[in-house]
Amino acid sequence: MTDYSPPNRVRPDRLQPSPEADTVTGHRHDSVVPLIRWSIMTADRAWPRLTGIAYGGDYNPEQWPREVWRQDVVLMREAGVSLVSVGIFSWALLETREGVFDFSWLDELLDLLHENDIAVDLGTPTASPPAWFFASHPEARVVTRDGVTMGFGSRGMASHSSPAYREAIVRIADALARRYAQHPAVVLWHVHNEYGVPVGEDYSEQSVRAFRNWLRERYGSLDGLNAAWGTAFWGQHYTEWEHVGAPAAAPSVVNPAQRLDFARFTDHQLRECFIAEREAIRAHATQPITTNFMANQSWGTDLWAWAREVDIVSDDHYLWAADPEGEIGLAIAADLSRSLAGGEPWILMEHSTSAVNWQPRNIAKRPGEMARNSLAHLARGADAILFFQWRAGRAGAEKFHSAMLPHAGTRSRVWREVVELGQGLGRLAELQGSRVRADVAVLWDFESFWAQGLEWRPSVDVDYAERVRAYYERLWRDGVTVDFAHPSQDLSGYRLVVAPAQYLLSVDDAERLNRYVEQGGTLVVSFFSAVVDEHDAVHEGGFAAPLHPALGVRVEEHLPLREGEKAAVDWRGERRLSADVWQEDLDPGNAEVVATYAEGPAAGGAAITRNRHGSGTGWYVSTRLSSTDLASVLDAVYDDAGIVPPRHPDGLEVVTRHGADADYLVAINHRAEPARLAASGVELLTGTRVPGALEVAGGGVAVIRLDARPTGGGRTTP
Ligand code: GAL
């Protein structure tokens, strides 16, 4: 079973006792202890041999002649580039035929980069096997759920269960590590590229065989499998292991427990491939090893489990151009990356200087936007700001993707901003290793998302990503910094835990949440949560039954609304909140009814409840409120949790990074108008003194080293 405790790379024997921990609340952030821990972690963790905030991007020199390489390094130095990712898609040029290697060009390139003081994050090229590989191993191609065998000429394409593929990835990873483990330019290894995309589920014969073996190990017997999958339904009972297959497309909906297990199996197969490469590298090399996640933009991998396997968390994030407030999705990605890293610094491995090329409408970033994006990642814990890619490529599918050096060359706005950002990050070196703290955790559970995403749910309008965004957005607008957490983690350090989309919740994890409330925590649970167990079977006792101690309510029936239907909620007789998509027949038991349904099928019934349990409080919100209407709920919840949200001017994003010697406010102004920020210290990008307040220019950024650390007193969560 997956261990979901957050990664902790500090050896326990090196942790100091916590003499200043608050013995009343047990809240870890009230003392200076985290800082002591951090200085120990800094010495122990596997951050690359780099100083300051790393800057750079994917570099694909194999697409260019040698004279361009020499221009590249000159321009990289001009831009302040300190780290480039190399070789991610170079397999065909490194292993020209099976077992025949040509490292001459890479030797030359790494030497050139090293001579120019540019460090290398060396990729293993296994996301793009060469043509010769598929010619020799046609069976290694991926088969889709509809039975289509994938062709060549793209990337991905290989079955992660293929023995031939697995042999080949270890061979190339081993060869690279043997050759470059000692190369002075190499400070980090970058295995593969974005596991799970474009290849996730694979329905090839080898994958089906591996799935069967995985199931045998998981369930031990066919009886165990039949029980877990509920195969008495629709006559799916299995009598032979050989009859068990992948959940390929079928005339009607396929068993959801089988599909959920296939998602888990797929994640497991991908991770096995990562581990095989990692071990091949570790046999020769001591540098840290990572693979680039897509924290909130790809859902096929259980990144809590992956985070335990990498030395450093790295993430790729691209703005969704259709979202007018892409900065909120960006903040989710960054907070999730930091949380996956257990609070340690992480690498923004890829983002874009301007437009991408793969969305329906690829919107160019406007002046200042790239810097705002970069600083927002840094604010939330990234210690490396990298892009896809260094130089815009002339050929291939990504030629319309922006780059640090665009097609227009150095006489361009993008280039000028790239140079300016490099200079700015150069002035922020002292932030390296400083940390972000949060009093609020939002639950994030990939398995639950997989299960909820399957067919035949009560309403297609219920969307887990939308609910996470709505709650997060409310917290973001209130200036409250958030961690993400898995429900099995120890949550006792948080004043508030929000569960916006916890459809699948095991009884054990529910008990943990009940205890969290009993012991003084504040919990907010949104509708359609704790509905099923880990096999996608409805909980005994009914929907949300395992959370009854914390919430005090019984959900009798789900009452989804018609498309577009609105149904108002009456909040404490004071105001009406507009709701849609969902109502419930709710028995509030002894819980306080804070809001009732004013209309719709549940009119007159309880809509939002608040329950005292032990010394904490459990809130249940049984309908869909917009992030604006959620303000009423969260204002009351903050009171219960003892949180005073800082509420900066509209559109001014402010996050604090806490260092060993100082605290830093990172402020990003997403509005066109200037915004005032109260602070005393030094603005590091300009070197100017901030005497009590700073006006952050419209669209501008600021990083302030504070004169003094905030002193206890009234709690805020900056
Ligand atoms: C990423 C990928 C890169 C590049 C980029 C373009 O997902 O890792 O190789 O394709 O997208 O936005």
Side-chain angles (χ1 to χ4, degrees):
M1 290 305 275
T2 309
D3 175 0
Y4 283 108
S5 50
N8 179 5
R9 296 174 190 91
V10 186
R11 288 201 303 270
D13 56 335
R14 300 190 62 186
L15 283 176
Q16 301 291 312
S18 306
E20 294 169 64
D22 183 331
T23 47
V24 181
T25 63
H27 289 298
R28 59 186 182 194
H29 300 149
D30 290 340
S31 72
V32 297
V33 173
L35 296 176
I36 299 170
R37 289 195 177 162
W38 176 232
S39 58
I40 296 167
M41 276 186 170
T42 313
D44 216 35
R45 74 201 161 125
W47 192 254
R49 293 190 321 270
L50 291 168
T51 46
I53 305 297
Y55 186 51
D58 279 22
Y59 181 34
N60 297 305
E62 64 272 38
Q63 298 170 13
W64 299 92
R66 296 292 198 276
E67 56 275 21
V68 173
W69 299 9
R70 283 181 280 278
Q71 291 167 17
D72 281 336
V73 289
V74 171
L75 292 173
M76 283 179 189
R77 290 178 67 104
E78 184 182 330
V81 165
S82 56
L83 179 66
V84 290
S85 304
V86 167
I88 299 171
F89 294 104
S90 310
W91 196 343
L93 298 176
L94 290 170
E95 189 177 4
T96 50
R97 276 177 298 140
E98 186 163 332
V100 178
F101 297 98
D102 173 11
F103 291 117
S104 55
W105 67 271
L106 192 53
D107 288 354
E108 198 182 325
L109 178 80
L110 295 195
D111 290 349
L112 178 68
L113 290 166
H114 183 58
E115 281 156 21
N116 286 278
D117 268 341
I118 297 158
V120 169
D121 164 34
L122 188 54
T124 68
T126 52
S128 210
W132 58 253
F133 172 79
F134 290 106
S136 320
H137 303 287
E139 81 294 346
R141 288 175 298 163
V142 166
V143 176
T144 67
R145 189 158 184 251
D146 293 322
V148 178
T149 304
M150 295 278 102
F152 185 72
S154 179
R155 62 176 163 185
M157 306 167 291
S159 160
H160 291 90
S161 299
S162 151
Y165 175 70
R166 288 186 171 209
E167 194 184 314
I169 61 174
V170 168
R171 187 173 60 238
I172 184 73
D174 171 82
L176 281 164
R178 268 176 204 278
R179 188 154 188 106
Y180 297 113
Q182 309 301 329
H183 196 289
V186 177
V187 297
L188 177 67
W189 292 89
H190 179 304
V191 172
H192 200 85
N193 192 64
E194 296 184 337
Y195 278 98
V197 174
V199 173
E201 290 192 347
D202 167 31
Y203 290 78
S204 65
E205 277 176 32
Q206 57 225 333
S207 176
V208 173
R209 273 196 303 274
F211 183 43
R212 249 175 238 142
N213 290 339
W214 182 87
L215 290 168
R216 271 176 192 263
E217 212 157 282
R218 187 175 173 89
Y219 294 112
S221 67
L222 269 182
D223 286 349
L225 176 90
N226 279 312
W229 284 9
T231 55
F233 176 80
W234 280 356
Q236 292 163 13
H237 187 81
Y238 293 101
T239 52
E240 301 289 338
W241 277 107
E242 284 60 41
H243 301 166
V244 180
S252 185
V253 163
V254 173
N255 186 330
Q258 181 182 2
R259 292 204 64 187
L260 178 57
D261 267 351
F262 197 64
R264 289 179 174 126
F265 157 79
T266 300
D267 173 59
H268 170 266
Q269 295 301 93
L270 295 169
R271 208 157 52 247
E272 269 194 351
C273 287
F274 168 77
I275 292 169
E277 287 195 43
R278 184 194 65 196
E279 293 309 301
I281 296 168
R282 273 199 185 147
H284 309 289
T286 54
Q287 299 94 337
I289 302 173
T290 189
T291 182
N292 45 345
F293 297 166
M294 283 164 290
N296 64 334
Q297 298 194 313
S298 158
W299 309 80
T301 44
D302 182 348
L303 295 179
W304 295 113
W306 282 79
R308 301 191 63 78
E309 303 295 345
V310 295
D311 294 326
I312 294 180
V313 164
S314 61
D315 189 50
D316 297 349
H317 182 264
Y318 292 95
L319 292 182
W320 183 244
D323 180 355
E325 290 187 302
E327 58 269 20
I328 300 176
L330 183 158
I332 293 177
D335 283 344
L336 180 55
S337 299
R338 184 189 67 253
S339 305
L340 291 166
E344 294 180 34
W346 54 280
I347 294 174
L348 176 65
M349 188 61 87
E350 296 179 21
H351 70 152
S352 67
T353 57
S354 189
V356 299
N357 65 302
W358 42 265
Q359 296 183 12
R361 290 166 198 84
N362 296 294
I363 308 300
K365 292 188 182 175
R366 293 290 70 214
E369 194 172 353
M370 176 187 75
R372 288 197 296 282
N373 296 162
S374 299
L375 269 280
H377 284 291
L378 178 130
R380 296 175 189 278
D383 273 4
I385 303 295
L386 311 178
F387 292 94
F388 178 85
Q389 61 177 333
W390 161 252
R391 181 186 278 273
R394 288 186 57 209
E398 296 189 317
K399 54 182 166 294
F400 297 122
H401 198 290
S402 60
M404 297 174 85
L405 183 59
H407 290 297
T410 54
R411 282 174 51 206
S412 60
R413 176 190 64 81
V414 168
W415 174 254
R416 286 190 294 276
E417 289 194 21
V418 162
V419 173
E420 200 183 325
L421 178 60
Q423 288 165 350
L425 294 177
R427 297 183 194 116
L428 303 181
E430 65 185 82
L431 269 76
Q432 191 197 6
S434 61
R435 305 191 75 172
V436 176
R437 301 179 200 155
D439 284 332
V440 180
V442 173
L443 296 187
W444 183 288
D445 181 350
F446 293 95
E447 287 205 353
S448 179
F449 300 157
W450 297 340
Q452 191 182 329
L454 296 172
E455 306 108 316
W456 283 10
R457 288 358 194 168
S459 169
V460 294
D461 297 328
V462 179
D463 182 311
Y464 45 92
E466 181 279 330
R467 272 304 78 187
V468 175
R469 163 75 180 241
Y471 278 86
Y472 182 92
E473 189 172 320
R474 186 66 260 151
L475 292 152
W476 187 91
R477 291 192 195 287
D478 292 341
V480 176
T481 302
V482 160
D483 281 344
F484 287 96
H486 189 272
S488 65
Q489 278 176 222
D490 173 14
L491 300 167
S492 59
Y494 295 104
R495 288 175 176 261
L496 169 62
V497 172
V498 181
Q502 197 59 50
Y503 162 73
L504 181 157
L505 185 68
S506 70
V507 168
D508 284 354
D509 289 347
E511 274 167 13
R512 222 168 266 127
L513 289 173
N514 291 329
R515 255 196 318 278
Y516 164 76
V517 174
E518 192 183 348
Q519 291 169 0
T522 302
L523 174 70
V524 180
V525 177
S526 176
F527 65 93
F528 207 45
S529 286
V531 174
V532 297
D533 66 10
E534 55 273 37
H535 302 301
D536 198 47
V538 171
H539 280 295
E540 281 182 37
F543 309 132
L547 286 177
H548 186 263
L551 304 179
V553 299
R554 280 184 57 247
V555 177
E556 284 191 23
E557 193 172 8
H558 295 146
L559 304 172
L561 302 183
R562 294 195 167 79
E563 190 177 3
E565 189 179 349
K566 298 257 180 234
V569 165
D570 179 6
W571 175 265
R572 292 191 159 139
E574 292 165 11
R575 70 192 85 119
R576 287 214 163 181
L577 310 178
S578 155
D580 62 2
V581 168
W582 193 268
Q583 295 192 341
E584 282 174 3
D585 258 338
L586 199 60
D587 170 1
N590 292 328
E592 176 193 347
V593 177
V594 179
T596 48
Y597 286 111
E599 54 195 5
I608 301 172
T609 56
R610 174 177 179 270
N611 185 52
R612 290 294 294 170
H613 175 55
S615 42
T617 309
W619 284 78
Y620 186 60
V621 182
S622 74
T623 186
R624 192 174 88 153
L625 299 174
S626 67
S627 71
T628 309
D629 287 306
L630 275 172
S632 296
V633 180
L634 283 185
D635 284 352
V637 164
Y638 295 147
D639 282 349
D640 279 340
I643 289 173
V644 182
R647 298 198 208 279
H648 301 291
D650 221 24
L652 186 68
E653 180 178 357
V654 181
V655 184
T656 307
R657 285 188 58 155
H658 303 268
D661 301 318
D663 289 348
Y664 304 89
L665 284 190
V666 184
I668 304 117
N669 187 355
H670 296 285
R671 296 280 183 277
E673 308 73 40
R676 190 173 178 279
L677 175 66
S680 294
V682 175
E683 202 289 311
L684 296 174
L685 295 169
T686 54
T688 51
R689 177 94 217 128
V690 180
L694 175 73
E695 186 150 295
V696 185
V701 293
V703 182
I704 303 167
R705 185 207 301 127
L706 296 174
D707 285 342
R709 294 184 192 278
T711 51
R715 294 241 357 153
T716 58
T717 312

